[in-house]
């Protein structure tokens, strides 16, 4: 298991009038090479959970073990963990700040103290992995790019750290259809070509249906359902009770197939839903 979570609890603002239990006894195993969709209505705890995975939030109680390392222990090297688990926040382009794409993507590897040659090769590879042309984009300002391109540059900055696990929190939020396709397409090829473990947080059932092979459903701070994509989508009634509508998926699948797209074998089809 690349990620193991045991009895994880998290309370915001404990002992104050704003106290809020956001995670309640989470137990989870994620295997290397999994492509997980983490879904659940707003406020169900998805962001709180993923921020635990690279030590951004420390648990109120419980254990998180990443690649055999207990990251909840006091001796842990958080820098090492953040390199292993790359977290792409919502609207990551807001964190672009350098004057060129190259410098932005190089920021993380530079902080790792790597040699210039190694930095350059990582930056080039990361930019190519997100489907951008290195030579024509490296000297441009990130601020003059399209929404989809900006977001891909931000993702490249995380990939340049060579993470073993990539966590993407709502990676297509706010993008136009073209930008969405660009970003999702690159995430899919990253998974297929690089074999990286991916956790995709999304409230878009469409994105989830297109991509992932396992789903975790959160509800009120707990893991309510867990299983293969098609198994989860079959339980329409239960999903609806959690505010996750199957009609959306059915409609999407119809349109998706109408456009002549193939539906992956391990993904649910309309007829089965
Ligand atoms: P999701 O990502 O599924 O929308 P969150 O993890 O953001 O859910 O939120 C889980 C719960 O924790 C919600 O009730 C939310 O209001 C609460 N919460 C999130 N962030 C904070 C915070 N910084 N302070 C207090 N409560 C928070």
């Amino acid at each position: 298991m690349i990620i193991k979570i045991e009895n994880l609890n998290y309370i915001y603002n404990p002992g104050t009038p704003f106290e809020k239990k956001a995670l309640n006894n989470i137990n989870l195993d994620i295997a290397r090479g999994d492509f997980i969709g983490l879904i659940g209505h707003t406020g169900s705890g998805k962001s709180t959970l993923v921020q635990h995975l690279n030590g951004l939030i420390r648990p109120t109680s419980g254990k998180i073990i990443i690649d055999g390392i207990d990251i909840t222990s006091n001796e842990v090297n958080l820098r090492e963990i953040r390199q292993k688990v790359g977290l792409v926040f919502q609207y990551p382009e807001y964190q672009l700040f350098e004057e060129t794409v190259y410098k932005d993507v190089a920021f993380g590897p530079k902080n790792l103290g790597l040699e210039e040659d190694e930095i350059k090769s990582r930056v080039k590879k990361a930019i190519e992995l997100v489907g951008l042309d290195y030579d024509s984009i490296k000297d441009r300002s990130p601020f003059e790019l399209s929404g989809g391109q900006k977001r891909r540059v931000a993702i490249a900055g995380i990939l340049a750290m060579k993470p073993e696990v990539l966590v993407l929190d709502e990676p297509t939020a706010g993008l136009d259809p073209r930008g969405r396709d660009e970003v999702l397409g690159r995430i899919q090829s990253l998974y297929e070509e690089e074999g990286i473990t991916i956790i995709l947080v999304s409230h878009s059932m469409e994105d989830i249906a297109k991509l992932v092979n396992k789903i975790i459903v959160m509800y009120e701070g707990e893991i309510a359902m867990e299983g293969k994509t098609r198994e989860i989508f079959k339980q329409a009634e239960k999903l609806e009770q959690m505010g996750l509508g199957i009609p959306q998926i059915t409609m999407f699948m119809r349109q998706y197939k109408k456009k002549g797209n193939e539906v992956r074998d391990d993904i649910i089809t309309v007829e089965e839903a």
Side-chain angles (χ1 to χ4, degrees):
M1 292 297 153
I2 182 109
I3 298 175
K4 210 168 167 47
I5 298 179
E6 291 170 5
N7 307 321
L8 173 63
N9 291 284
Y10 188 74
I11 301 171
Y12 283 106
N13 310 310
T16 77
F18 304 106
E19 179 168 309
K20 166 81 205 174
K21 183 148 204 189
L23 297 178
N24 188 20
N25 199 35
I26 303 281
N27 286 283
L28 197 59
D29 281 340
I30 293 175
R32 210 177 274 279
D34 268 350
F35 191 167
I36 306 272
L38 184 58
I39 63 177
H41 67 87
T42 304
S44 58
K46 304 181 299 294
S47 293
T48 306
L49 177 61
V50 297
Q51 287 179 73
H52 276 86
L53 298 178
N54 74 351
L56 271 180
I57 298 185
R58 294 177 77 78
T60 303
S61 65
K63 250 190 192 179
I64 299 162
I65 296 153
I66 308 280
D67 203 12
I69 303 168
D70 177 1
I71 71 162
T72 42
S73 95
N74 285 329
E75 292 93 61
V76 73
N77 178 351
L78 278 180
R79 223 168 121 159
E80 186 191 343
I81 295 303
R82 292 200 179 136
Q83 193 266 314
K84 264 187 206 292
V85 181
L87 182 53
V88 179
F89 287 99
Q90 293 181 22
Y91 298 95
E93 59 275 21
Y94 293 156
Q95 285 162 33
L96 297 172
F97 67 99
E98 296 278 10
E99 71 239 37
T100 68
V101 167
Y102 183 93
K103 283 190 186 167
D104 238 306
V105 178
F107 182 78
K110 260 201 181 130
N111 272 347
L112 288 180
L114 301 169
E115 302 274 322
E116 206 54 50
D117 278 355
E118 171 68 12
I119 294 175
K120 188 174 170 207
S121 94
R122 284 188 180 209
V123 172
K124 186 163 186 287
K125 169 127 198 253
I127 289 176
E128 286 166 356
L129 278 175
V130 295
L132 297 169
D133 180 61
Y134 175 74
D135 286 322
S136 62
I137 209 162
K138 70 180 187 350
D139 297 322
R140 291 181 65 189
S141 159
F143 301 101
E144 60 187 38
L145 306 176
S146 75
Q149 286 173 328
K150 268 188 208 157
R151 195 156 300 179
R152 285 186 287 155
V153 168
I155 295 172
I158 300 290
L159 291 176
M161 303 291 279
K162 288 204 181 162
E164 289 176 46
V165 180
L166 181 64
V167 183
L168 298 141
D169 196 351
E170 299 283 0
T172 63
L175 294 180
D176 62 17
R178 185 172 156 192
R180 285 172 66 107
D181 286 347
E182 283 172 3
V183 168
L184 286 182
R186 291 328 295 186
I187 294 171
Q188 179 155 21
S189 31
L190 256 178
Y191 177 68
E192 283 165 3
E193 289 157 26
E194 300 294 304
I196 183 167
T197 308
I198 300 184
I199 301 175
L200 174 66
V201 180
S202 179
H203 67 256
S204 161
M205 293 297 225
E206 307 183 3
D207 293 1
I208 294 286
K210 260 188 210 175
L211 294 170
V212 309
N213 43 34
K214 274 190 200 157
I215 291 184
I216 294 166
V217 184
M218 292 196 68
Y219 187 71
E220 296 186 349
E222 297 186 2
I223 293 183
M225 297 165 80
E226 199 188 338
K228 290 203 166 135
T229 305
R230 70 159 70 219
E231 299 306 325
I232 297 293
F233 279 168
K234 271 182 189 161
Q235 302 176 55
E237 221 169 88
K238 209 167 168 197
L239 285 169
E240 289 212 87
Q241 285 166 8
M242 290 168 195
L244 302 163
I246 210 88
Q248 260 180 295
I249 305 168
T250 312
M251 208 160 66
F252 154 71
M253 277 306 193
R254 266 195 206 119
Q255 287 164 352
Y256 187 62
K257 289 215 293 195
K258 224 180 180 165
K259 280 191 215 145
N261 291 316
E262 267 186 46
V263 176
R264 270 170 48 194
D265 188 43
D266 53 346
I267 282 174
I268 191 85
T269 61
V270 186
E271 292 71 29
E272 288 167 303

